[in-house]
Amino acid sequence: MTSIDSLIAALQAEGYEPDRRLATAVFLALKLQRPLLLEGEPGVGKTELAKALARVLQRSLLRLQCYDGLELREALYEWNYAAQMLHMRAAQDRAQAADIEREVYQPQYLIRRPLLQALETPAPGAVLLIDEVDRADEPFEAFLLEYLGEYQVSIPELGTVRAKVPPVTILTSNRTRDLNDAVKRRCLYHWMDYPDRERELSIVRRQVPQASAALAQQVAAFVGRLRSQPFANAFQRSPGIAESVEWAKALVALDTLSLDPEVVADTAGILFKQREDVAALTPLVSELLQPEPTP
Ligand SMILES: Nc1ncnc2c1ncn2[C@@H]1O[C@H](COP(=O)(O)OP(=O)(O)O)[C@@H](O)[C@H]1O
Ligand SMILES: [Mg+2]
């Protein structure tokens, strides 16, 4: 990637609309070979960025979805215990115990998980997505710090595995908790906001070409207002970009030409996934639909 502009164009060609600051962060992460931590509300395009970037770089995407209780054997590797047992049983009569032990700790009995696969991916290397790292626990974060520092791991029975090509690493967080400072320091950091209206409009237009320009405009404007004050306070969670896209599709399916209070109320379950939020929308609809005061 030679410039920020060419990165923007390449991401757009893959269906992803970045804003300039995000593209700059990605560009620098590539140039400086640093992991990139993307933090932001759900639905702002963090996961999708990693997927689009993998396509742009023509690298394979390895995704580690984090959750509470994630263990190294799911993140890094584990031994294929069942296959080892079979081997041992078959070898019992012909070999010494010490030989059998050596035989069962061979690479063919290793189950490789994303963090190990990322080290072993041949050129051009992988894009490693460590998704929703805020959901993992602190011991895992401590391990991650070490991993991101050296891109190597040691497997006691086999030795050290060092990255053939360091993976392009994207970490995402929905910020359900604060991450370890040391992890943050290791990464470049970018806070991802909801898109501005123009960018959301181009995402909706691209993903729902059947929607008229006027309807797409109304969708982007309405959702943008929902997420801004004073309206945002009325809801527990604001709709993400996926919701705007889904909503535009639903409106097209209903042959909607233009938003009105009735169709908004009828389709509220696409914008909001919580009963309280759906209920909170109804009394605000007519105000939300009013033409905005021109500044
Ligand atoms: N910048 C963008 N350009 C195009 N589509 C986007 C963009 N951001 C988000 N999307 C759409 O929104 C959906 C949700 O985004 P996602 O990456 O899953 O959000 P997050 O990981 O931040 O929760 C994606 O599937 C994609 O269709
Ligand atoms: Mg995500």
Side-chain angles (χ1 to χ4, degrees):
M1 230 12 90
T2 53
S3 68
I4 295 170
D5 287 320
S6 61
L7 179 60
I8 292 176
L11 285 168
Q12 284 173 336
E14 292 297 337
Y16 191 88
E17 291 282 343
D19 69 14
R20 195 168 181 88
R21 284 189 42 232
L22 171 62
T24 306
V26 173
F27 182 78
L28 289 175
L30 295 173
K31 283 285 166 216
L32 305 178
Q33 301 199 342
R34 293 271 294 280
L36 175 62
L37 169 61
L38 300 175
E39 229 177 23
E41 299 291 321
V44 294
K46 303 182 295 295
T47 302
E48 194 67 25
L49 181 271
K51 294 183 183 171
L53 184 63
R55 296 195 297 271
V56 163
L57 300 175
Q58 298 185 317
R59 288 177 169 228
S60 47
L61 178 75
L62 295 169
R63 178 178 182 173
L64 177 67
Q65 173 64 53
C66 299
Y67 54 88
D68 190 15
L70 173 65
E71 292 189 43
L72 282 187
R73 63 187 160 80
E74 289 147 300
L76 192 58
Y77 72 88
E78 68 181 308
W79 288 102
N80 186 342
Y81 183 67
Q84 286 175 320
M85 288 301 287
L86 286 173
H87 181 102
M88 280 165 69
R89 213 168 293 160
Q92 237 162 25
D93 302 329
R94 63 154 175 84
Q96 302 285 322
D99 292 334
I100 300 181
E101 189 176 333
R102 196 160 21 79
E103 284 167 18
V104 294
Y105 288 113
Q106 292 302 312
Q108 76 256 36
Y109 295 122
L110 197 64
I111 302 175
R112 294 160 169 83
R113 304 295 191 198
L115 294 183
L116 181 58
Q117 287 172 2
L119 303 182
E120 294 187 330
T121 304
V127 169
L128 174 62
L129 167 60
I130 303 176
D131 215 7
E132 306 190 350
V133 66
D134 53 325
R135 294 220 225 157
D137 48 29
E138 278 159 34
F140 182 77
E141 244 182 297
F143 167 78
L144 211 51
L145 186 62
E146 202 181 301
Y147 175 91
L148 295 175
E150 319 196 335
Y151 286 118
Q152 67 175 40
V153 297
S154 119
I155 302 176
E157 302 85 352
L158 289 181
T160 300
V161 180
R162 202 165 279 119
K164 292 192 169 70
V165 185
V168 169
T169 307
I170 309 279
L171 296 92
T172 80
S173 164
N174 290 335
R175 217 191 188 192
T176 55
R177 67 174 175 88
D178 257 337
L179 299 181
N180 183 322
D181 271 343
V183 169
K184 283 190 169 170
R185 254 178 283 137
R186 165 96 42 221
C187 301
L188 299 185
Y189 175 84
H190 180 73
W191 171 258
M192 274 175 80
D193 242 321
Y194 291 113
D196 62 20
R197 190 171 301 180
E198 212 178 312
R199 193 155 65 87
E200 185 143 36
L201 179 59
S202 38
I203 296 169
V204 170
R205 294 227 64 193
R206 187 193 289 265
Q207 295 191 21
V208 195
Q210 322 84 285
S212 69
L215 185 64
Q217 290 262 13
Q218 286 192 322
V219 165
F222 189 90
V223 177
R225 289 187 88 185
L226 270 183
R227 293 187 196 125
S228 62
Q229 298 304 341
F231 301 107
N233 278 341
F235 307 106
Q236 294 171 27
R237 155 141 349 149
S238 295
I241 297 173
E243 281 71 32
S244 307
V245 169
E246 279 305 301
W247 197 37
K249 286 183 185 162
L251 294 168
V252 168
L254 296 173
D255 294 322
T256 309
L257 297 176
S258 160
L259 292 182
D260 61 58
E262 200 179 346
V263 77
V264 173
D266 289 348
T267 54
I270 294 174
L271 291 171
F272 293 106
K273 301 289 146 76
Q274 314 224 42
R275 184 178 164 197
E276 293 78 8
D277 285 346
V278 173
L281 177 62
T282 315
L284 296 174
V285 172
S286 42
E287 200 181 336
L288 280 158
L289 283 173
Q290 259 162 35
E292 284 167 280
T294 35

